[in-house]
Amino acid sequence: MYTMQSWTCLFLIICSMQSVCHCCDWIRHHYGHLSSEYLSLLDQMGGDITEQDAPVFFPTLLYRHIDEAKFEDQVRFRNETIYQITKLFDGNMKAVTWDKKKLDDFLNILERQLENLNSCVSPAKKPERRLKRYFKELNRKVLRKMNYSAQAWELIRKETKRHLQRLDIFKAKITDHPDSSQKLRP
């Protein structure tokens, strides 16, 4: 009886380790392809990116801080950033003049990235508060204040592109990180 429980426990541990290893491999080998796809769609779904600046400062210092963080924290940050972007695009988009198919494809790829990254991080750890605060301010000072206008959505598209490009630079550092082969979830 005891031996059967031991084998069951061992089997479950091995299965969970396979999921974690799959996640690390996914980040190294598949994230970049999807990333280039959604950056391309972001450009193609609308006209030229606006030159206007959003009234919320881009969190450059937060990105610098996370560059020096542990691998797991870097993956968690990437996950939270993509999650916050998907939340922004979940608002009132009636005024948007973008190509609807490309917008849907863009959001589907983001969701796919998010799903894969979610399997890489422990849900027990809390997300970065400053990042959440930044996206709340972006929502409040751009989308709500500008009544979800086409101009507001163009500013969101510009800020989204900045984040996704920064995550692309960040991705290169993650895949070269010495801990990128470590297990991420307990």
Side-chain angles (χ1 to χ4, degrees), residues 49-184:
I49 298 286
T50 183
E51 294 293 321
Q52 182 182 354
D53 289 326
V56 180
F57 291 111
F58 189 80
T60 305
L61 290 176
L62 191 53
Y63 277 96
R64 283 189 196 144
H65 170 74
I66 206 67
D67 278 342
E68 306 302 320
K70 293 179 187 175
F71 177 72
E72 182 177 2
D73 294 334
Q74 292 176 345
V75 174
R76 185 175 293 101
F77 181 83
R78 175 184 303 282
N79 184 55
E80 182 64 23
T81 302
I82 292 176
Y83 171 70
Q84 293 296 331
I85 290 170
T86 60
K87 277 180 57 177
L88 274 180
F89 279 86
D90 198 27
N92 177 353
M93 299 187 78
K94 292 177 184 167
V96 167
T97 59
W98 304 327
D99 180 307
K100 300 293 186 208
K101 167 106 173 77
K102 290 183 181 183
L103 173 61
D104 288 342
D105 290 346
F106 168 75
L107 293 173
N108 286 333
I109 292 172
L110 273 183
E111 287 291 335
R112 188 167 154 203
Q113 291 282 51
L114 186 60
E115 187 178 300
N116 282 296
L117 287 170
N118 273 333
S119 70
C120 295
V121 295
S122 169
K125 298 237 181 168
K126 293 191 178 196
E128 173 60 55
R129 285 181 301 152
R130 293 173 292 179
L131 187 64
K132 283 180 74 171
R133 193 175 324 124
Y134 163 80
F135 278 100
K136 279 184 180 179
E137 285 293 299
L138 203 55
N139 188 1
R140 186 175 64 78
K141 290 184 176 179
V142 176
L143 290 174
R144 285 194 265 164
K145 190 172 185 178
M146 297 173 76
N147 294 318
Y148 297 88
S149 67
Q151 181 184 10
W153 281 110
E154 285 301 328
L155 285 172
I156 294 301
R157 187 167 72 116
K158 178 182 181 178
E159 291 302 302
T160 298
K161 184 175 180 177
R162 288 180 73 187
H163 280 284
L164 295 176
Q165 286 175 326
R166 185 61 180 90
L167 289 178
D168 241 16
I169 293 167
F170 188 53
K171 182 255 178 204
K173 291 180 181 180
I174 279 184
T175 55
D176 293 337
H177 197 284
D179 294 338
S180 67
S181 61
Q182 77 179 15
K183 294 170 180 59
L184 296 178

Side-chain angles (χ1 to χ4, degrees), residues 22-38:
H22 169 73
C23 166
C24 295
D25 286 343
W26 179 83
I27 288 173
R28 272 190 247 118
H29 303 294
H30 301 288
Y31 182 90
H33 172 71
L34 291 175
S35 175
S36 63
E37 271 188 63
Y38 61 55

